[in-house]
Amino acid sequence: MKPLNCTLAAEQAGLNNEDLARLADVARKASECGGAILMDHYGHLESIESKGRTGDLVTNADLAAEKCVLEFLQQETPNIALLAEESGSFSGQGSLCWCVDPLDGTTNFAHGYPFFATSIGLTWRQTPILGAIAVPFLNEIYWAAPSLGAFCNQKPIKVSSCKSLVDSLLVTGFAYDRQNRLDNNYAEFCWMTHRTRGVRRGGAAAVDMAFVAAGRLDGYWERGLAPWDLAAGVALVELAGGKVTDYRGDTFDLNSGRVLACPPGMQKLLVDQLSKVKPLEADSFGAPELRGMGS
């Protein structure tokens, strides 16, 4: 297995320490810009629309935050490509790319539930290098870069030292397609809940990973995610001393949509547990229409 290595990706991209410090500052300021826009709209949205999948929403706050972030990134780093949730992709020079989620946790935001973020991650050939995640309701900006480390605001952070399932607090989430397939994470959620102190469901992948990086949570797994959901958080966890892989413990793939992020002492335990889980029978959670379907 070739592990995720943000530092190696930065070297391969030709980024020196000065470059990394500047790009980390750009990511922080971009996330702060997005977070400020979100708080301006929080509690009094003008529009909430569906993208076509149950629970997959877009609001005027998403669009306003993304506009602010993209304009800032294009001004500060005009040669770096952009991949944004609402606007799609914009080409640049080379293989560096900003992955932008202006509002991670849109459903939370639309309901006034204060668990959401703006996430800005920089990748090199699909490998995360650095990132920043603004959690504006908490006045926190999580950020990390090779040679600099991982931080919450200006305080260094690191993953927890947990090495035991029974002592752990985990977090996960459920993809928008959960109602259409048996590979919906319901079984994994039950399995892990039964073997740990608990499993939380925050509803914003970027915040979940930021909290793992800060040692507030002892592990995170989820499927059905997009690169803009993952890029910044993955960099945060790895640079805070954690491990990031797929469910099997193999090399993380940004485009797979499936991630396991945790402290080193939890990695083998969580891989082993996830390997034992089989999807629940459709009737057991009231979905007879999925009976007999594959995962």
Side-chain angles (χ1 to χ4, degrees):
M1 178 189 75
K2 183 180 179 182
L4 175 72
N5 192 321
C6 299
T7 301
L8 179 60
E11 293 174 357
Q12 292 174 341
L15 300 175
N16 59 34
N17 289 350
E18 183 178 345
D19 297 327
L20 292 167
R22 175 177 174 271
L23 291 169
D25 187 57
V26 169
R28 280 201 311 275
K29 290 178 178 177
S31 70
E32 186 175 21
C33 167
I37 296 291
L38 296 183
M39 291 308 296
D40 286 343
H41 288 79
Y42 184 63
H44 45 86
L45 285 172
E46 295 176 2
S47 66
I48 303 172
E49 299 178 8
S50 173
K51 295 182 184 180
R53 298 181 298 182
T54 302
D56 193 1
L57 307 176
V58 62
T59 73
N60 58 299
D62 297 66
L63 301 176
E66 184 166 290
K67 182 176 184 294
C68 169
V69 169
L70 294 187
E71 287 179 352
F72 180 78
L73 292 175
Q74 288 173 323
Q75 175 183 324
E76 297 294 320
T77 57
N79 295 326
I80 297 180
L82 292 164
L83 176 63
E85 179 176 11
E86 308 304 337
S87 302
S89 60
F90 302 84
S91 62
Q93 299 177 6
S95 299
L96 287 170
C97 181
W98 291 112
C99 294
V100 176
D101 192 344
L103 174 48
D104 187 22
T106 303
T107 301
N108 289 348
F109 189 88
H111 285 265
Y113 185 72
F115 197 89
F116 54 87
T118 295
S119 178
I120 316 289
L122 182 68
T123 64
W124 162 257
R125 295 179 178 175
Q126 308 300 314
T127 299
I129 293 178
L130 59 82
I133 297 170
V135 188
F137 195 87
L138 299 179
N139 292 313
E140 294 178 340
I141 297 180
Y142 296 84
W143 61 279
S147 80
L148 298 177
F151 300 83
C152 176
N153 297 333
Q154 298 305 314
K155 180 181 178 181
I157 58 174
K158 62 180 180 179
V159 296
S160 80
S161 58
C162 187
K163 298 180 181 179
S164 167
L165 277 175
V166 297
D167 295 325
S168 68
L169 180 64
L170 307 180
V171 67
T172 191
F174 303 94
Y176 292 120
D177 64 0
R178 63 188 179 276
Q179 294 173 326
N180 303 315
R181 58 190 297 163
L182 293 180
D183 181 18
N184 50 25
N185 202 32
Y186 296 172
E188 289 89 341
F189 180 85
C190 293
W191 185 277
M192 294 297 195
T193 298
H194 194 66
R195 289 161 174 79
T196 64
R197 286 180 175 168
V199 178
R200 302 294 181 251
R201 197 275 171 127
V207 185
D208 293 338
M209 284 185 281
F211 285 3
V212 171
R216 292 176 176 172
L217 294 163
D218 304 307
Y220 165 71
W221 82 94
E222 193 170 348
R223 57 157 298 276
L225 298 165
W228 49 78
D229 296 316
L230 291 165
V234 162
L236 268 167
V237 172
E238 201 259 346
L239 292 167
K243 298 290 185 181
V244 182
T245 66
D246 65 10
Y247 282 17
R248 297 180 179 181
D250 293 330
T251 305
F252 168 74
D253 179 356
L254 186 65
N255 293 306
S256 72
R258 195 175 295 251
V259 65
L260 170 62
C262 60
M266 293 295 295
Q267 201 257 346
K268 289 183 179 179
L269 292 172
L270 293 177
V271 167
D272 178 63
Q273 293 301 315
L274 287 171
S275 72
K276 297 176 180 179
V277 184
K278 297 180 181 180
L280 296 176
E281 295 293 333
D283 287 333
S284 70
F285 57 92
E289 69 278 8
L290 297 183
R291 191 183 302 141
M293 292 181 61
S295 61

